[in-house]
């Protein structure tokens, strides 16, 4: 099955303003976020991307703009299922203010029980995001083959929920995962299990390019002894 490159959008005006953006319109990349986005095509240059899937929100589209300009042949798809969590009444409020709400501790310690007032639950958020990944894995493999690499650009909580699923972690553990703005995480899916190849990487990504498997080992086998890594 394909390798999925997960990109968090670059730093946004809401990030620097300490605001929980959610689906609030007009949240753009700040100056640093724009610079992070501009560096993304070079970081991904070694990867033969088959397609790009994005959240519909502005900050994700702005993050992808330099990559799509550098690779105009890349098909772009939008999927609302990897859009930001629907924070409901919490959207647009200051993080410092929200940290005083009783629900905040639930979100931190027991997120599988958390539901945002006027919004969705963390469980529902993870379910839709993971369903999107499963559907796109099947489509990308069908259209581009089992060794294809494709990219999704989404949001912090969405990406953490996807990574938690790939690791087989209970949702209550997903707050232990951190993904910085414009960082890259990567998951290679196989018939038996996913492999987490990168988490929150902000450096060189050439090692994610497809390479030959160890002779005699199946594509879904773990590298006993650690493996040789990228060529």
């Amino acid at each position: 099955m394909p390798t999925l490159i997960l990109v968090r959008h670059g730093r946004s005006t809401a990030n620097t303003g300490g605001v929980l953006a959610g689906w609030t319109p007009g949240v753009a990349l700040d100056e640093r976020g724009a610079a992070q986005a501009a560096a993304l095509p070079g970081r991904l240059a070694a990867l033969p991307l088959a397609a790009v899937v994005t959240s519909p929100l502005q900050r994700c589209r702005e993050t992808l703009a330099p990559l799509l300009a550098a690779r105009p042949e890349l098909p772009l798809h939008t999927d609302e299922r990897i859009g930001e969590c629907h924070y409901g009444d919490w959207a647009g409020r200051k993080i410092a203010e929200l940290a005083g709400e009783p629900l905040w501790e639930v979100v931190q310690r027991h997120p599988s029980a958390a539901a945002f007032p006027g919004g969705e639950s963390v469980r529902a958020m993870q379910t839709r995001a993971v369903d999107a990944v499963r559907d796109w894995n099947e489509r990308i493999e069908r259209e581009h083959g089992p060794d294809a690499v494709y990219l999704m650009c989404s949001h912090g909580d969405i990406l953490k929920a996807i990574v938690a699923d790939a690791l087989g972690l209970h949702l209550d553990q997903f707050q232990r995962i951190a993904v910085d703005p414009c960082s890259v995480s990567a998951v290679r899916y196989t018939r038996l299990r996913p492999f987490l190849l990168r988490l929150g990487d902000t450096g060189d990504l050439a090692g994610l390019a497809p390479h030959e498997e160890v002779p005699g080992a199946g594509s879904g086998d773990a590298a006993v002894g650690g493996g040789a890594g990228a060529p």
Side-chain angles (χ1 to χ4, degrees):
M1 296 181 72
T3 296
L4 172 58
I5 307 298
L6 296 165
V7 177
R8 185 183 169 195
H9 62 77
R11 196 174 76 173
S12 73
T13 53
N15 295 146
T16 49
V19 171
L20 187 64
W23 285 70
T24 304
V27 176
L29 299 185
D30 68 5
E31 185 176 351
R32 182 176 176 184
Q36 292 169 332
L40 194 59
R43 294 173 61 206
L44 296 169
L47 303 187
L49 297 175
V52 172
V53 185
T54 185
S55 156
L57 295 176
Q58 178 180 340
R59 52 198 182 273
C60 287
R61 291 186 171 276
E62 289 181 354
T63 299
L64 292 174
L67 175 65
L68 296 172
R71 299 202 205 183
E73 77 285 355
L74 268 180
L76 174 66
H77 308 277
T78 300
D79 193 328
E80 290 199 356
R81 293 176 297 174
I82 61 167
E84 181 62 286
C85 184
H86 292 279
Y87 294 116
D89 298 342
W90 277 30
R93 294 175 61 187
K94 291 279 190 179
I95 298 290
E97 175 186 323
L98 293 171
E101 298 276 357
L103 180 60
W104 182 265
E105 186 175 11
V106 181
V107 172
Q108 294 297 316
R109 296 177 180 270
H110 190 21
S112 65
F116 297 99
E120 68 181 333
S121 68
V122 178
R123 286 183 295 108
M125 176 199 75
Q126 184 186 46
T127 297
R128 63 172 165 87
V130 170
D131 283 349
V133 168
R134 298 287 189 268
D135 290 346
W136 280 105
N137 282 348
E138 292 179 6
R139 176 172 173 177
I140 295 296
E141 180 174 11
R142 184 172 63 250
E143 296 180 358
H144 301 280
D147 295 324
V149 181
Y150 76 108
L151 182 150
M152 279 187 173
C153 185
S154 187
H155 309 266
D157 282 348
I158 295 288
L159 299 181
K160 287 162 57 177
I162 292 171
V163 169
D165 172 77
L167 289 173
L169 293 178
H170 192 282
L171 183 57
D172 284 345
Q173 308 303 319
F174 102 121
Q175 297 290 28
R176 300 184 181 197
I177 299 167
V179 287
D180 286 341
C182 223
S183 65
V184 171
S185 302
V187 182
R188 178 166 63 87
Y189 289 87
T190 74
R191 184 175 62 86
L192 295 179
R193 64 175 72 86
F195 292 89
L196 182 65
L197 307 179
R198 292 287 193 283
L199 177 61
D201 196 321
T202 56
D204 180 74
L205 300 167
L208 293 175
H211 56 276
E212 292 187 11
E213 302 289 341
V214 176
S219 63
D221 292 344
V224 178

